[in-house]
Amino acid sequence: MNLDHVSFAAQQDGLQATADRLAEQLGITYYDGGIHPRFGTRNLIFPLANGHYLEVVEALEHPAALATPFGQAARARSAKGGGWMAWCISVNNLAKVEERLERKAVDGNRTPEGSEEIHWKQIGVKGVIADGQLPYFIHWISPAEMHPSARPQRKLDGSGELTGEDAVAIESLQIAGSRDRVRDWLGTDAHKPIPEIGIDWVAPHGEPGIMSVTFSTPNGRVVL
């Protein structure tokens, strides 16, 4: 299991304004990830280092946004002012997750700007709605070269791309919740089940969930 991406719900002034603020803080640009027709949502994407990405997501005025868990989660988080909505774990064997959660994964698709349609399966968003500290799971059907993180990471000032050690990367998540609860959800007792990032667990004051994400950038650490 590895971290795939983190999801940030659009704030009250909308998807693009929210993404613009994050771009200013991170120093990189985003691209249009397209509409999720099955979920009634759309996203803007920041490619990050180490196979990760950050999506800014908003619910559309569409019946699917009311009927599907992902659309419901996006609507609910934006209604509370926006901010961190969820984190997502990539898995190679989705059948094991389906068996543990006793439900089937759902299909996802969208067509990013300048690209062919991409496809995946996801499961666990109902868990996110019930308990915001929990991640959901994704299994990519499209090839690795079409993964959202595979696009070049472009500087906000237009002066080029960021690569290697200079690329913006997720360092750690701060989560209000319980390490043991999340381990149980992941189906593992590993000390560090998501090895490539740090997770700082804090006692929840109010609702459990992502409190902040720390990024490494050429200008130092940025905490959002």
Side-chain angles (χ1 to χ4, degrees):
M1 292 182 290
N2 295 96
L3 179 69
D4 190 75
H5 65 274
V6 288
S7 300
F8 194 98
Q11 295 169 318
Q12 293 181 347
D13 52 357
L15 183 71
Q16 186 165 340
T18 302
D20 285 345
R21 281 191 293 275
L22 298 181
E24 287 286 347
Q25 292 173 285
L26 295 174
I28 55 175
T29 61
Y30 55 83
Y31 68 90
D32 188 350
I35 291 172
H36 308 93
R38 287 184 170 90
F39 308 144
T41 54
R42 64 171 297 187
N43 66 9
L44 301 174
I45 292 176
F46 293 85
L48 302 172
N50 304 318
H52 304 152
Y53 68 96
L54 159 62
E55 71 167 352
V56 184
V57 62
E58 73 171 354
L60 304 173
E61 293 300 323
H62 189 281
L66 297 172
T68 63
F70 192 81
Q72 292 166 4
R75 285 177 62 90
R77 190 69 184 92
S78 289
K80 293 179 180 179
W84 292 115
M85 185 179 94
W87 53 306
C88 180
I89 302 300
S90 64
V91 293
N92 292 325
N93 190 336
L94 201 58
K96 289 184 178 180
V97 181
E98 291 176 323
E99 181 179 359
R100 191 172 69 254
L101 300 187
E102 298 181 334
R103 65 182 75 115
K104 290 293 185 181
V106 298
D107 294 317
N109 66 291
R110 56 183 173 78
T111 304
E113 62 174 338
S115 175
E116 299 176 7
E117 187 176 54
I118 59 175
H119 298 267
W120 68 91
K121 287 181 175 291
Q122 67 184 53
I123 186 173
V125 178
K126 288 183 179 179
V128 175
I129 294 173
D131 187 350
Q133 67 183 299
L134 302 178
Y136 67 100
F137 303 89
I138 192 167
H139 174 74
W140 287 96
I141 298 171
S142 295
E145 59 267 24
M146 296 181 70
H147 188 269
S149 68
R151 292 215 183 185
Q153 192 177 104
R154 303 188 185 280
K155 296 180 183 179
L156 186 60
D157 63 10
S159 62
E161 299 177 3
L162 288 170
T163 59
E165 293 183 356
D166 290 332
V168 176
I170 294 176
E171 281 193 0
S172 62
L173 310 181
Q174 185 183 59
I175 297 177
S178 163
R179 185 193 303 269
D180 290 339
R181 172 76 176 102
V182 172
R183 281 178 180 161
D184 181 65
W185 178 251
L186 296 175
T188 180
D189 58 3
H191 176 69
K192 194 172 182 182
I194 312 301
E196 76 274 21
I197 62 163
I199 300 179
D200 178 24
W201 299 96
V202 297
H205 297 284
E207 294 183 15
I210 298 176
M211 302 294 291
S212 64
V213 179
T214 299
F215 299 82
S216 60
T217 81
N219 296 320
R221 286 187 176 90
V222 173
V223 179
L224 299 176

